[in-house]
Amino acid sequence: MFRFTLGPAMAALIALTCQAGAQSSAPQVATKKVDGTDNVYMVRYGGHQSIFIVTPQGVIVGDPISYLRPAKPLIDEIRKVTDKPIKYVIYSHHHYDHAAGGKPFKDMGATFIGHRLLKQRWMDLKKQNALLSDVVMPDEVVDRKKTIKLGGTTVELIYTGINHSDNSLVMLLPKEKVVFVVDFAPIESIQFRNIPDNSSPLAYVESLKKLEALDWNIMVPGHPYAGGRWGTKKDVQDDIAYLQDLSAATKKAADEGKCFDTAVKEIKLPKYESWAGYATGLGANVERFCYWWGRGY
């Protein structure tokens, strides 16, 4: 009998092909109820996630996450759960991959809320004729904190300071002890590239500390990190530790005159090498801290 034996390279190729096939067959849009809650849901649309809360008087939605793709699949997913009207859409921050494409929600009568600086940024873009057409300007703005009450549910919109953007809002449900946090508190992942829209990386750490101090048990993130699990207080504490370790290592390099290129090449943080993005993104994180410690901004 003829027996065919796969070599290691061919076996690896087949494994990768099967894995890619499994990923492509995964549903593009999916919803699940947040653990321990009766009316709070997370919806995933591709590689982005949002949150919606169903109340007897209507629905509160987080980011519209429909940039460069139709919003209908996201709306259809909400409609699988409830036919209640969508009353509010809350922007986590201004970045288009989470905030663009809200027009279909506006057409349904939703009130849009975002941070004051988000609206200011978009107004500047509008004056330059550079704002995307599907972006909906906030009807109401938040400075430090705003509370929404609808159908017996309370949602607190909290500004914890400058982090991944200068206008990020946390959605906190105090009764359910759930927070929706987008981009600035990744789970088992390094920070995004060169930490955009941040004038002070040290302010970023303070923002994370304010998030950690809020009263919550489950964090719903804006992307399916670490296999799609919920976030915990420890995840935020780990983010703080990472940025502090990165800051210390970069300051030392800056003091030795190694910023930028040498520091980017030499700084390694083995404690975090298992985190997503470490191999490809650590250098950009170092570069951002080099701007702070090596240039003063």
Side-chain angles (χ1 to χ4, degrees), residues 16 52 64 84 120 130 144 167 183 191 218 239-240 253 281 287:
L16 287 172
F52 65 93
K84 298 293 183 183
Q120 179 179 311
R144 291 293 172 181
N167 54 77
D183 285 351
Q191 295 294 335
I218 289 176
D239 283 334
I240 294 169
E287 183 176 69

Side-chain angles (χ1 to χ4, degrees), residues 255-277:
D255 291 345
E256 296 171 354
K258 293 183 176 181
C259 278
F260 290 73
D261 293 345
T262 302
V264 168
K265 292 177 182 178
E266 290 186 356
I267 291 178
K268 307 295 179 186
L269 299 175
K271 178 180 176 181
Y272 308 99
E273 63 185 5
S274 65
W275 282 17

Side-chain angles (χ1 to χ4, degrees), residues 107-262:
D107 292 342
M108 298 170 71
T111 296
F112 280 66
I113 303 176
H115 192 267
R116 172 181 56 82
L117 294 175
L118 173 146
K119 185 171 184 177
Q120 179 179 311
R121 182 181 294 259
W122 283 354
M123 290 298 291
D124 289 342
L125 288 173
K126 188 175 182 179
K127 291 176 184 177
Q128 301 167 46
N129 197 29
L131 187 67
L132 291 186
S133 60
D134 281 346
V135 168
V136 176
M137 202 69 70
D139 301 294
E140 301 176 13
V141 296
V142 183
D143 190 10
R144 291 293 172 181
K145 184 176 180 180
K146 184 181 183 70
T147 299
I148 297 173
K149 294 186 178 182
L150 183 69
T153 293
T154 298
V155 179
E156 296 179 356
L157 309 179
I158 302 170
Y159 180 65
T160 62
I162 298 173
N163 42 61
H164 176 78
S165 80
D166 63 358
N167 54 77
S168 296
L169 289 177
V170 171
M171 287 178 63
L172 170 66
L173 284 76
K175 178 183 175 182
E176 295 81 2
K177 295 188 184 300
V178 171
V179 287
F180 177 50
V181 181
V182 180
D183 285 351
F184 77 88
I187 301 169
E188 296 180 29
S189 177
I190 67 166
Q191 295 294 335
F192 179 67
R193 299 179 68 87
N194 60 351
I195 311 176
D197 304 314
N198 183 275
S199 59
S200 165
L202 302 189
Y204 202 130
V205 174
E206 294 307 308
S207 176
L208 285 166
K209 289 179 179 179
K210 291 177 182 177
L211 170 62
E212 195 271 337
L214 297 175
D215 187 12
W216 56 271
N217 296 327
I218 289 176
M219 179 173 67
V220 178
H223 297 278
Y225 302 106
R229 68 172 175 85
W230 310 124
T232 67
K233 286 287 184 81
K234 184 179 184 303
D235 291 314
V236 178
Q237 292 162 1
D238 288 346
D239 283 334
I240 294 169
Y242 166 72
L243 287 176
Q244 290 176 330
D245 290 348
L246 176 64
S247 179
T250 309
K251 185 179 187 305
K252 181 176 183 296
D255 291 345
E256 296 171 354
K258 293 183 176 181
C259 278
F260 290 73
D261 293 345
T262 302

